[in-house]
């Protein structure tokens, strides 16, 4: 304890002395490297360095989860797509690690079902970690399974749901878990989510896979696709883009 106190005191003195010697403001300026230039998006336009995964034209960036054939969810006239109930989940062709992901979604206008049965879909980061998509506007379910939960792991900080039929946004910042060469988890993943601009997951630690039954699992993996869930409800998506970090 005594040694720790002495060490802290000495560190403080050294820092103070070093700081007192700096008199030129330029001494603490850092000019390199420079941040890359990115033209921000606006409205439905993605930032200049983003990969557009869906802009309403086609589903060429997605395939069916079941057999990797062409994705067959419904493309609508308003540049959105809708879950084709029973056709199964779809996933991106490309694989991703750390990323910033923008997704817009809309719960069905015709309100049907309750709890988990209303406007259920989901966004699986690396096909393993689900950011829940659900219609929780005046609809109650278990808190760690509601809209913007990390499914069965983390309750969102707020319920920022809009009414069914209104477009909503998720802005997700994701840091993937790290595994060593022996497939041991050495750094947990984290996720930050803004739902309609409201912070709902703040650097939330990912405990492992988001299981419907049972506890999270941590099995080593590398980059993996983004997957969208067919839960049988006619949830729509539009304007999906991703920035690799
Ligand atoms: Mg779901």
């Amino acid at each position: 304890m005594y040694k720790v106190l002495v060490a802290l005191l000495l560190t403080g003195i050294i820092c103070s002395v070093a700081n007192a010697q700096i008199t030129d403001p330029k001494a603490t300026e850092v000019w390199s490297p420079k941040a890359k230039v990115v033209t921000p998006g606006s409205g439905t336009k993605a930032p200049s360095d983003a990969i557009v995964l869906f802009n309403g034209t086609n589903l060429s960036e997605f395939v069916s989860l079941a057999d990797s054939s062409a994705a067959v969810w419904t493309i609508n006239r308003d540049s959105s797509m809708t879950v084709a109930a029973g056709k199964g989940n779809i996933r991106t062709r490309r694989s991703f690690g750390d990323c910033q992901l923008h997704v817009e979604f809309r719960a069905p206008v015709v309100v049907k079902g309750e709890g988990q049965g209303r406007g259920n879909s989901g966004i699986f980061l690396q096909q393993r970690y689900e950011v829940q998509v659900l219609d929780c506007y005046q609809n109650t379910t278990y808190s760690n399974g509601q809209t913007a939960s990390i499914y069965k792991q983390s309750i969102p900080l707020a319920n920022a749901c809009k009414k069914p039929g209104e477009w909503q946004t998720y802005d997700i910042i994701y840091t993937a878990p790290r595994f060593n060469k022996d497939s041991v988890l050495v750094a947990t993943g984290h996720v930050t989510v803004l739902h309609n601009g409201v912070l709902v997951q703040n650097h939330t630690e990912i405990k492992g896979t988001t299981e419907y039954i049972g506890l999270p699992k941590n099995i080593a993996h590398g980059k993996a696709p983004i997957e969208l869930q067919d839960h049988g409800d006619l949830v729509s998506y539009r304007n999906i883009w991703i920035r690799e970090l």
Side-chain angles (χ1 to χ4, degrees), residues 124-217:
F124 288 86
L125 301 164
Q126 298 195 303
Q127 297 194 285
R128 290 163 176 82
Y129 314 113
E130 182 183 13
V131 179
Q132 175 70 302
V133 171
L134 194 68
D135 176 12
C136 282
Y137 183 84
Q138 298 179 350
N139 176 40
T140 304
T141 184
Y142 42 93
S143 300
N144 63 352
Q146 73 179 81
T147 316
S149 63
I150 307 307
Y151 186 71
K152 288 196 171 171
Q153 289 187 25
S154 177
I155 300 167
L157 298 169
N159 178 344
C161 286
K162 292 185 180 180
K163 291 179 182 173
E166 292 184 15
W167 283 103
Q168 311 194 50
T169 59
Y170 273 163
D171 287 285
I172 299 169
I173 295 113
Y174 173 64
T175 305
R178 266 49 171 180
F179 300 86
N180 69 14
K181 61 179 172 36
D182 298 318
S183 299
V184 175
L185 180 72
V186 290
T188 51
H190 289 83
V191 63
T192 293
V193 181
L194 290 119
H195 179 199
N196 297 323
V198 176
L199 181 67
V200 288
Q201 297 289 346
N202 184 12
H203 196 59
T204 300
E205 182 176 62
I206 294 169
K207 299 185 177 91
T209 51
T210 50
E211 302 288 336
Y212 176 47
I213 299 171
L215 299 174
K217 297 182 180 76

Side-chain angles (χ1 to χ4, degrees), residues 101-113:
L101 176 66
H102 175 86
V103 176
E104 298 180 18
F105 66 95
R106 181 179 63 188
V109 181
V110 179
V111 175
K112 188 167 71 67

